[in-house]
Amino acid sequence: MKRKFIVLTAVLLIAMLAGCAKKESPADRLAAYTKFWNDEKFTDMYTDYLSSGTKKTFDQNEFAERQEKLIEDLSIDDLEVTYKKPKEDAEWDEEQPAVFPIHIKMDTAAGPVEFDKDLTFIYEEQDEEKHWYADWDPSFIFPGLTATDTVQIQTTKAVRGKIFDRNGKPIAMNGIGYEAGIVPGKFTDAGKKADVAKLLNTTVEFIDKQLNQSWVQPDYFVPIGKVAKTDEALLAKLIEIPGMTYQETAMREYPYGASLAHLSGYIGPITAELLEKHKDAGYTETDLIGRQGLERILEDRLRGENGVGIYMKGPEAGSTPEKIAVKEAVDGEDITLTIDADLQKKTYDAMRGETGTAAAVDPLTGETLVLTSSPSFDPAEFMLGISGERYKTLSEDPKQPLFNRFAAAYAPGSSIKPITAAVGLEAGTLKPDAGIMISGKTWQKDSSWGSYRVSRFHPEAPNPMDLNKALIYSDNIYFAQQALAMGKEKFISGLKRFGFGEEIPFALNLTPSQISNDGTLASEGQLADTSFGQGQMLTNILHLAVMYEPIITNGLMYKPTLYKDDATQQVWQKDLLTKPNADELKTDLRNVVLDGFAQKANLPDIPVAGKTGTAELKKAAGESGQDTGFFVSYNADHPNFILAMMIEHVEDNNGSGYVAELAADVYKAYYKK
């Protein structure tokens, strides 16, 4: 009897507790449902919160997996479902649906999407439990979406920005090239596949795969590979093969080819490494990306932003897609350089394929007009995917056409002497008219120099040696003595004012010019060597051109610019030369061409002024030295530009006089009527 009483009491207690437990209201169920929704836990939503009618209409795949896939495919992010909370004392009739206005918003690949909906909860029994359950249909994913609609995403490619020179001439443009292909019915010699594969840098297996596609017919054009518009020789070889032809296709063009290749760079297929590096930037495996030069440096500006559209389309044939969200494509930025592409090509052509580099600047603005490296390469080859064999040929070429010489630094030799003179003139230690008696081919200050002696190439130069004659005869001994008269501190300080030892303030990463490896001059011998551009001194070719600006501007040296919208006449250094000292050097540099060893540049109608220089690259005992020749010059009457040119291996070709000859060709081409 006692045991029955205990059991009955327990049953009554449970019943009382159950009666006292708070029943979940529609608002409670709404809060839990929307939390799962915002957390993208669609399976939990389906299992515990959807009405039986919804579950009967839509299975779990249609509900959960479809939403999960759309989130991934459409890059949906920041999904947020909100609603206005009902009053706490709100009463709910279990016989009536509970309706809640909700707001749904999200970010997608095509931009933001947001809309309002009414969410209905009904009170019903499921699995022997009564609760409020939500009615659902696909329109809660996107407005108007039905179970039979498909959601599509369409991408509109942005047009890549173009690169122009200062005169609006295209350096990199969206032009045309050619798609080379096979017409199967006319391609009767299968043995020619190997020839086609070699010419188009592909494989016979790829050609067979293309020809065996289901859509191919005997008279159809089957694309095999692309050919640059400029590669007429390759096109000629291809069409010699029966059954081969070509069609025009959109392609990036580099109209100035090799002359601007190291500067323009090129685009090419994105690699797996680059795809990983830019994984958050929307690139795909089929995209092209800037691989070298300005195409790489300016990638973010040139690329633009692809457009994306999200549409839903009914199952009926011919039904019109309805827009859900559209983000219009933003084309890449067109960029204009300060470069004069025609002058650049004239300069490159004048270098005759010799190994070297050249730069030109407008001395009155600081704008960079020429920046070239020779020899070079055709950027179109790399854009289309260069073969391993061809790349090996280029990379093993002793002239190193892939090496960008304008980014490097070289011993400037005697081309630095006007700068040494400028430092001495401003220090007051160099008196331009004061003659120095110099005899013999070599000189040393005293016996403390041991075996070191300064050598000069023209001991026949007449005494007394003043600044004008020292520049005309490029006398190393004169400049060594002037550097000693200045002393290391004044000389180093003066060179630093010309920008030695600091980063060149330029849009591209160029090797800075240096006085020495550690910026000091450890001995008088090193001081002497440095005065005429030897020792450990190195200069960048663009910086070398810029250093001549104060001679023309009476003391101002401008920051070199590359982009046309950059402010010009940005002062890098000032008060480098007084007008009298600048005028002295103007006269002397003109006389170097008139009377000195740059007479190859002494043109009848163009008064070129400038300074040659030769830097000897010393070799081991028993080996012949190699000379690097320089010529820095300008038109004395109309200094439209300062041209600095360097050519390697001039030892058997008239030394730096050969460089003056090449530079003269630039002036003749530039001023040709």
Side-chain angles (χ1 to χ4, degrees):
M1 185 69 183
K2 185 175 181 181
R3 184 176 177 185
K4 286 183 180 180
F5 177 77
I6 292 171
V7 172
L8 180 60
T9 302
V11 170
L12 290 172
L13 182 59
I14 291 170
M16 288 173 62
L17 289 172
C20 293
K22 185 179 178 181
K23 185 184 296 183
E24 283 188 300
S25 70
D28 296 330
R29 297 285 284 176
L30 172 65
Y33 181 80
T34 55
K35 185 177 188 313
F36 280 132
W37 196 347
N38 287 323
D39 292 341
E40 300 172 13
K41 295 182 177 180
F42 300 111
T43 300
D44 292 325
M45 291 169 66
Y46 186 89
T47 303
D48 298 329
Y49 289 90
L50 291 190
S51 67
S52 56
T54 298
K55 290 179 178 178
K56 186 176 180 180
T57 306
F58 306 101
D59 64 23
Q60 187 168 314
N61 289 344
E62 291 176 287
F63 179 82
E65 292 186 12
R66 187 182 193 189
Q67 293 190 75
E68 289 166 357
K69 189 172 190 309
L70 287 173
I71 283 173
E72 181 179 353
D73 292 348
L74 306 181
S75 301
I76 293 174
D77 196 15
D78 295 330
L79 175 63
E80 184 180 4
V81 182
T82 57
Y83 61 92
K84 185 178 180 180
K85 282 188 176 183
K87 295 179 180 179
E88 290 188 8
D89 58 354
E91 295 185 0
W92 309 98
D93 184 351
E94 294 176 353
E95 300 298 322
Q96 298 295 324
V99 181
F100 300 97
I102 64 172
H103 185 74
I104 304 163
K105 68 176 182 177
M106 68 195 80
D107 290 330
T108 73
V113 174
E114 56 182 308
F115 57 98
D116 295 313
K117 285 281 291 180
D118 284 341
L119 178 60
T120 300
F121 278 81
I122 60 173
Y123 191 75
E124 66 176 10
E125 182 177 337
Q126 290 187 28
D127 299 327
E128 299 182 356
E129 284 192 35
K130 286 192 173 184
H131 273 308
W132 292 91
Y133 293 96
D135 280 338
W136 180 90
D137 64 65
S139 66
F140 283 93
I141 302 175
F142 291 120
L145 185 67
T146 69
T148 56
D149 290 338
T150 57
V151 178
Q152 303 173 342
I153 184 166
Q154 297 178 4
T155 300
T156 306
K157 287 284 187 181
V159 177
R160 190 173 182 87
K162 299 175 283 295
I163 304 175
F164 295 98
D165 87 332
R166 65 188 298 107
N167 300 310
K169 296 185 176 181
I171 289 171
M173 60 184 286
N174 302 310
I176 60 166
Y178 299 103
E179 187 98 60
I182 292 173
V183 178
K186 298 179 180 179
F187 192 80
T188 55
D189 186 352
K192 293 292 185 181
K193 290 179 185 177
D195 296 337
V196 174
K198 186 174 182 180
L199 288 169
L200 292 177
N201 185 28
T202 186
T203 63
V204 172
E205 290 75 18
F206 175 78
I207 294 173
D208 286 337
K209 181 180 177 182
Q210 291 295 95
L211 292 174
N212 291 328
Q213 294 177 93
S214 59
W215 58 267
V216 173
Q217 298 293 325
D219 58 343
Y220 282 13
F221 174 84
V222 182
I224 303 298
K226 292 183 177 180
V227 180
K229 182 181 178 181
T230 54
D231 202 344
E232 295 176 357
L234 176 56
L235 287 172
K237 289 178 182 177
L238 285 167
I239 61 174
E240 286 177 359
I241 300 172
M244 287 298 301
T245 186
Y246 58 88
Q247 298 177 353
E248 285 189 355
T249 187
M251 191 179 295
R252 194 74 161 172
E253 283 189 56
Y254 301 96
Y256 287 87
S259 67
L260 267 155
H262 285 101
L263 182 59
S264 70
Y266 51 86
I267 60 172
I270 193 166
T271 62
E273 182 181 359
L274 287 172
L275 194 60
E276 174 62 23
K277 181 180 178 181
H278 299 284
K279 61 184 177 183
D280 297 325
Y283 288 93
T284 68
E285 293 176 352
T286 60
D287 282 337
L288 300 175
I289 190 172
R291 298 287 297 272
Q292 288 293 335
L294 290 174
E295 289 276 34
R296 178 180 61 81
I297 293 167
L298 300 173
E299 172 67 17
D300 290 343
R301 295 172 63 184
L302 292 168
R303 179 193 177 206
E305 189 174 352
N306 290 340
V308 181
I310 299 174
Y311 302 88
M312 57 185 179
K313 189 175 184 298
E316 304 83 9
S319 62
T320 303
E322 291 186 40
K323 179 178 73 174
I324 296 173
V326 174
K327 181 176 71 174
E328 299 295 339
V330 178
D331 291 341
E333 180 183 350
D334 289 341
I335 295 170
T336 301
L337 307 180
T338 60
I339 294 294
D340 183 328
D342 287 340
L343 179 59
Q344 172 114 357
K345 189 173 190 310
K346 288 177 173 66
T347 303
Y348 180 80
D349 291 346
M351 295 170 76
R352 305 176 189 176
E354 300 280 7
T355 54
T357 182
V361 295
D362 184 329
L364 303 181
T365 66
E367 293 171 296
T368 303
L369 304 176
V370 170
L371 204 54
T372 192
S373 179
S374 174
S376 187
F377 57 90
D378 181 358
E381 278 193 273
F382 286 82
M383 175 186 65
L384 296 173
I386 194 167
S387 70
E389 181 181 347
R390 175 61 178 153
Y391 182 80
K392 185 172 184 289
T393 299
L394 288 171
S395 60
E396 293 180 355
D397 187 328
K399 287 192 171 184
Q400 297 180 284
L402 302 182
F403 176 54
N404 182 5
R405 289 174 169 84
F406 68 67
Y410 299 84
S414 295
S415 66
I416 207 66
K417 286 174 180 173
I419 310 307
T420 299
V423 175
L425 287 167
E426 291 300 305
T429 57
L430 191 157
K431 307 299 182 184
D433 297 328
I436 298 174
M437 301 300 293
I438 302 174
S439 60
K441 190 172 183 178
T442 65
W443 171 84
Q444 64 176 192
K445 176 185 172 185
D446 53 42
S447 60
S448 67
W449 283 17
S451 61
Y452 172 74
R453 302 182 72 87
V454 177
S455 298
R456 61 177 179 163
F457 292 97
H458 301 286
E460 74 279 6
N463 279 313
M465 183 70 65
D466 59 15
L467 177 58
N468 183 63
K469 282 189 281 189
L471 286 168
I472 289 172
Y473 286 92
S474 199
D475 198 287
N476 290 346
I477 296 175
Y478 176 89
F479 284 95
Q481 291 185 11
Q482 293 300 332
L484 291 173
M486 275 184 266
K488 286 187 283 189
E489 289 74 16
K490 285 183 180 179
F491 188 46
I492 289 173
S493 176
L495 290 177
K496 285 183 176 179
R497 293 196 64 217
F498 273 86
F500 277 89
E502 64 177 275
E503 295 293 326
I504 301 169
F506 191 59
L508 306 181
N509 185 21
L510 305 178
T511 303
S513 301
Q514 67 174 45
I515 297 169
S516 68
N517 294 341
D518 61 5
T520 66
L521 297 173
S523 66
E524 288 183 330
Q526 189 178 9
L527 172 61
D529 268 351
T530 306
S531 72
F532 46 86
Q534 293 276 184
Q536 296 174 353
M537 174 178 269
L538 299 173
T539 60
N540 173 270
I541 194 68
L542 177 63
H543 186 197
L544 184 59
V546 170
M547 281 190 275
Y548 276 60
E549 287 179 357
I551 299 169
I552 296 170
T553 62
N554 301 323
L556 287 173
M557 189 168 81
Y558 297 116
K559 294 178 181 178
T561 56
L562 183 61
Y563 304 125
K564 201 71 177 75
D565 56 3
D566 285 346
T568 59
Q569 293 187 315
Q570 300 178 59
V571 175
W572 184 5
Q573 300 288 349
K574 61 182 180 179
D575 302 325
L576 293 170
L577 276 171
T578 62
K579 188 177 186 306
N581 288 336
D583 288 343
E584 172 68 34
L585 288 172
K586 288 184 183 79
T587 300
D588 297 343
L589 293 181
R590 175 63 181 142
N591 289 339
V592 167
V593 178
L594 287 171
D595 305 320
F597 299 96
Q599 291 189 31
K600 289 285 188 179
N602 188 15
L603 304 174
D605 301 319
I606 307 166
V608 176
K611 181 69 185 79
T612 55
T614 305
E616 182 181 354
L617 304 178
K618 298 178 175 62
K619 293 290 184 179
E623 294 184 5
S624 60
Q626 294 178 354
D627 292 342
T628 300
F630 287 81
F631 186 49
V632 186
S633 58
Y634 57 90
N635 181 331
D637 285 351
H638 303 287
N640 307 90
F641 57 86
I642 298 171
L643 175 66
M645 184 182 290
M646 181 277 288
I647 300 294
E648 298 175 8
H649 309 298
V650 295
E651 59 274 3
D652 297 322
N653 208 355
N654 193 30
S656 56
Y658 177 58
V659 189
E661 178 184 341
L662 303 186
D665 288 344
V666 178
Y667 288 98
K668 287 186 283 189
Y670 183 80
Y671 290 103
K672 184 177 180 180
K673 295 179 181 179

